[in-house]
Structure formats: C-alpha cells, structure tokens
Amino acid sequence: MTALPTAEPDQPHDLVGIGIGPFNLSLAALAHGVPGGLATAFFERRRRFSWHPGLLIDGTTLQVPFLADLVTLADPASPWSFLRYLRSRERLYPFYFAQSFHIHRAEYDAYCRWVSDSLPGLHFAHQVDAVRWNGAHELFEVDFSRLDLDGEVEAVGRTHARNIVLGLGSEPYVPDALRPLADAFSVPVVHSSDYLDHRARLLAAGHVTVVGSGQSGAEVFLDLLRRRPPGAERIHWLSRTESFAPMEYSKLGLEHFTPDYTRYFRTLPEETRDRLVPRQWQLHKGIDAQTIAAIHEELYRRSLHGGWPDAVLTPGVTVRTAGRIATTKVELHLEHLQQATRSCLTTDAVVLATGYRERPPGAMLAGLEPYLRRDSAGRPRVDAEYRLVLDERITGAVHVQNAETHTHGVGAPDLGLAAWRSAAILNSLTGKAPYPMPRRTAFTSFGLDRPEAAPDLRDRPAALTPLAPVV
C-alpha cells in the first residue's frame, strides 16, 4: 500500500475512486496509461483485493472469455492484461495448451490481485467517510479514515478531487422473509457469497437446503452433492423460477453485452427500460449449460447401481416465510406457484443463493444529495458517460460503475464491458480520446435506426424509413 499525503485544494487529484473491485481496478489500470498522466487515488476499506472469495469453488470458471480482463478490450497492449500476467508467471505456454477460453475464477482473482499489488495509487485499508462539493474551490472534498489490522480507525485525512468515481459494487441480498434466519447463529443459514467459509459446517449438517437457482445456487448445490455420501445426500434445491434454466449464451444473444446494445437501451423511455430488464433475467441469471450438465451427470452417476440419490430439485417454489424450530433446525414455509399449494420443509442448514443488489452509498454521499437529479422512481439519473446528473452548480463529475442497470441495461455488472466503460469515463474526463472507441460492436441492429458502421463497409442497404409514432 502506498502512502497517501493529504492533498490540498491547490494540488487536487484529477480523479478519486471509491472502492477497488474489478471495475475501479480496470479504471485505475487504464488511467495509468493515459498520455501525460492523471493524478489518481483509489480507496478501499478492505486490506487487499479479493473477488468473491466465498465462491472460489475448485473448478468454477468465469462466464466471460479471458479477453474480458481489466484492460484488453480497450487497450490490448496494456501492461495490465491477463496475458501479461501469465507471462509474468511463466504460464503462457501452459495456458496456450490448455485451450481454455474461460478461465478459472481463482485465476481471475489472482490476476486482479497481481494488478492491485503492482499498480500505483491504490490505497487499501482506507475507508471513505464523506464526499462534499466545495464551491469556493470547485473541487470535491473526500474525507477518509485509515484502518488498522482490526478494522478500527487509526488516522483520518482529507483529499480533494476534480472528479469522483463510485465503484462500490454490490452486496448480498436476503429477501425480507428470510432475513430472520441470518441471525440464527445456532443454525447455519448463510448467503452463497460466504459459502466456502461455512462449507465444513454445511457438510456436517444432516439436511441442507439451497434456495436460488442462478449460477451461484447451481455451483453450491453441485459442490455439496459431490461431497456428500451417495445415498445420503439429503439436499433440497429450491428455485422460484419455473425451471432450472440455462443462461442465454448464443452468439447473437451475447450481443446484449455490447456497447451497441447499451447505446440502444439508453434511448428507450424509462418505463420501457423498467419493463425490459426483469424480462431479460436469463441473460445473466440463468445457469451455465456445462454446470447443468455436470449436475445431471453427478445425479446420474449416483443412480448407476439402482435407486435414486436423496436429492430433491424443485423449481417454481417461493419461500413465503421461515423460522427456527428449537435451536437446531429451520422451517421453510413454501408455496408452489403453478400448483397453488403450500407446504413446510424442515432442514438443518440453508444456503441463500438469492443474488446481489447495488450497494447504496448511504451517508457517504449525503453531502451531495441536494445536487442529485433523480428519475420518476427516485433513482439517480446517469448520463451516457456514466456521470450522475447533478445540479449545474457542480462543475466536477461523479461517475458510477455498476450502478446504472436502470439507465444502461443488463450489461452494467458484466465484466465484458468493464474496459469499455472505463475507457468511456477516461475519454470523458480528459476531453480527448486516449482510448478510441469502436463505432460498431454488434451484428444485431437493436432498433430500426441502423447503427453507424465502419467507414470501409461497402454496399450498405438503404436506410429504413422511420415509422410513424404509435398513437
């Protein structure tokens, strides 16, 4: 961790980043390569970079290709690319012969940590407490605390910045009906994000229930299944969705995670965007087809000598309420949506694979609240350059990363758009184009307006005549 002197108003940073997850790490890496340099500082309350440590299950892989690293899709020659990481570890040839387009999650975590350990301007064990606008100096004031090994404040400081970027990430989501269970310390009820920390206790439980059917739920179920004895698996897997559905992974389907689709989505009315996002759940909340196949193979293998494994997989079920029985068990009150029937399930442990929600900035941005402009649902408005729309009295910019699904679409949390979004932010900040942006990225034309094509594209078909607006 580099030492951080307190910056005075006459020596402000060009950019201060709050949070160091993959997205702000991508921004920091690309900012390092801007010609002429940028004065940057990034703060993170954790002591070092760590990416979903509770889900780094052996054998699990990213759902995006390795080219979706921190920098390559914006700057293939960057010193912070995944291939540069492999070369630094003398692993280029093993990777070459592995012929794997999708790398292990643990390898991605190690790659990001390599970048974070080498990149200047990153300040771990530093917690940002407040951000305010100083109109007299036309700068943001950023108050921070330096934390000791126990996470306690050991020093405080203040720095100034012309621009801010929020990379707060997401936090585990627990539905209200299941919230009381998280406090039941005598019974293991854990979110999937903490799975590995509690795996030994879960394996020792007599009966385990996994709630949630996304990729995390599938991986947890498969890992538990593989580690429990044949014929005595005693696992329930419950899903609110109507099936254990595969993720949409067709090549044209993946074009929803391109800059072209992001641009198209931004043109839609707010009401249309709000209706569209929930319907696209299978683009990012389904299960990888290989994981589904591995689950079926494991179940099938356990039936080779007759009998069925003691594993129950039930889609179309919602958990209405839940409670403890004595101090050692949990009772889940279930409702089958298609049958319109209800029942109870008693279990010894629960894994909540119930997803994540955007982490609210809370009191940290209270000083900017009067300047924020919100949409009809009370959400911050975000412009095309990923800036919060603020009162015109604020001349600096507050950019956001992975907090703009409502304005930019399902690609907001996708690692494949990290480098592109970072490049867009840096181009906006510098007023130049240190990272030239592609004019077209998808074969699909998502609207009736044909996307701008590359200049050497010949024999274009005639443009579509716009339809009259629907009355």
Side-chain angles (χ1 to χ4, degrees):
M1 181 182 67
T2 56
L4 180 65
T6 299
E8 299 299 329
D10 59 344
Q11 294 180 330
H13 297 287
D14 294 311
L15 177 66
V16 163
I18 303 173
I20 305 177
F23 297 134
N24 263 1
L25 189 59
S26 164
L27 184 62
L30 288 173
H32 186 257
V34 170
L38 287 174
T40 65
F42 288 79
F43 297 88
E44 169 60 53
R45 71 182 317 275
R46 296 173 300 174
R47 300 206 64 80
R48 65 180 307 194
F49 183 92
S50 183
W51 184 72
H52 296 302
L55 281 171
L56 299 181
I57 302 169
D58 290 345
T60 56
T61 61
L62 293 185
Q63 270 67 64
V64 293
F66 75 91
L67 290 173
D69 62 13
L70 300 174
V71 293
T72 294
L73 291 176
D75 181 10
S78 169
W80 308 110
S81 71
F82 177 70
L83 291 180
R84 289 289 190 98
Y85 162 73
L86 290 177
R87 189 179 71 174
S88 75
R89 295 295 189 266
E90 298 185 358
R91 295 185 56 243
L92 268 174
Y93 272 95
F95 179 75
Y96 168 54
F97 290 118
Q99 301 183 40
S100 177
F101 206 44
H102 294 82
I103 64 176
H104 289 257
R105 283 188 189 168
E107 189 171 30
Y108 179 79
D109 178 61
Y111 153 66
C112 289
R113 194 156 46 253
W114 169 77
V115 175
S116 70
D117 289 344
S118 309
L119 193 67
L122 305 185
H123 306 282
F124 290 90
H126 281 69
Q127 173 181 283
V128 171
D129 302 311
V131 178
R132 292 178 301 276
W133 176 248
N134 186 324
H137 293 98
E138 294 190 325
L139 295 170
F140 292 103
E141 295 178 344
V142 181
D143 293 342
F144 62 88
S145 301
R146 189 171 70 238
L147 308 178
D148 63 18
L149 292 175
D150 297 320
E152 300 296 326
V153 175
E154 64 178 10
V156 296
R158 176 178 295 171
T159 190
H160 296 80
R162 297 184 179 91
N163 304 282
I164 301 289
V165 59
L166 301 177
L168 302 179
S170 56
E171 59 185 5
Y173 170 69
V174 178
D176 290 340
L178 299 174
R179 232 172 249 287
L181 296 183
D183 299 326
F185 296 109
S186 58
V187 180
V189 179
V190 301
H191 192 272
S192 57
S193 59
D194 297 319
Y195 169 68
L196 287 181
D197 293 335
H198 299 272
R199 182 166 64 183
R201 194 175 175 203
L202 291 167
L203 290 172
H207 182 277
V208 183
T209 301
V210 179
V211 179
S213 66
Q215 183 67 20
S216 297
E219 289 172 353
V220 167
F221 175 80
L222 178 59
D223 191 62
L224 288 171
L225 181 63
R226 285 171 168 168
R227 293 173 182 274
R228 291 172 77 87
E233 294 85 359
R234 302 196 65 200
I235 310 176
H236 265 69
W237 185 18
L238 306 176
S239 163
R240 187 174 56 182
T241 57
E242 295 181 353
S243 64
F244 295 103
M247 191 178 298
E248 169 55 64
Y249 210 73
S250 66
K251 289 179 172 59
L252 291 179
L254 289 176
E255 290 193 339
H256 286 83
F257 301 99
T258 59
D260 279 5
Y261 183 75
T262 300
R263 297 187 191 105
Y264 160 76
F265 187 86
R266 276 194 47 75
T267 67
L268 300 175
E270 179 185 327
E271 298 80 5
T272 304
R273 296 197 300 259
D274 288 346
R275 289 195 303 269
L276 185 57
V277 170
R279 297 206 304 263
Q280 295 176 321
W281 65 270
Q282 209 164 338
L283 287 170
H284 59 109
K285 292 185 178 180
I287 306 169
D288 175 74
Q290 291 184 337
T291 306
I292 293 177
I295 289 172
H296 190 276
E297 175 62 26
E298 182 65 26
L299 292 168
Y300 179 76
R301 185 181 68 81
R302 290 170 180 250
S303 70
L304 291 179
H305 303 293
W308 291 75
D310 188 6
V312 179
L313 294 73
T314 309
V317 173
T318 184
V319 180
R320 296 174 51 249
T321 59
R324 284 183 289 174
I325 299 178
T327 59
T328 60
K329 294 184 182 296
V330 166
E331 185 176 73
L332 303 177
H333 299 261
L334 311 178
E335 181 174 4
H336 195 283
L337 302 178
Q338 293 180 350
Q339 290 181 325
T341 56
R342 294 180 177 180
S343 66
C344 293
L345 173 64
T346 301
T347 186
D348 299 298
V350 180
V351 180
L352 301 174
T354 46
Y356 299 81
R357 293 292 185 272
E358 293 173 1
R359 181 175 282 113
M364 183 178 62
L365 289 187
L368 298 181
E369 181 62 35
Y371 306 101
L372 284 174
R373 297 295 175 259
R374 299 182 179 275
D375 64 15
S376 63
R379 299 165 298 196
R381 292 169 57 195
V382 185
D383 71 11
E385 277 72 46
Y386 299 94
R387 296 173 298 203
L388 294 179
V389 179
L390 302 171
D391 187 281
E392 60 184 12
R393 289 174 291 172
I394 295 187
T395 56
V398 178
H399 293 267
V400 294
Q401 301 232 55
N402 191 17
E404 71 283 357
T405 299
H406 61 292
T407 56
H408 287 65
V410 294
D414 191 77
L415 294 175
L417 283 173
W420 181 81
R421 178 172 52 201
S422 294
I425 291 173
L426 291 170
N427 288 352
S428 172
L429 284 179
T430 61
K432 303 175 183 178
Y435 296 104
M437 308 295 275
R439 283 184 287 176
R440 186 171 181 184
T441 55
F443 291 111
T444 305
S445 299
F446 293 100
L448 292 181
D449 294 327
R450 181 173 171 79
E452 184 180 3
D456 60 348
L457 195 63
R458 308 251 197 284
D459 301 324
R460 301 181 185 177
L464 293 171
T465 302
L467 299 176
V470 178
V471 180

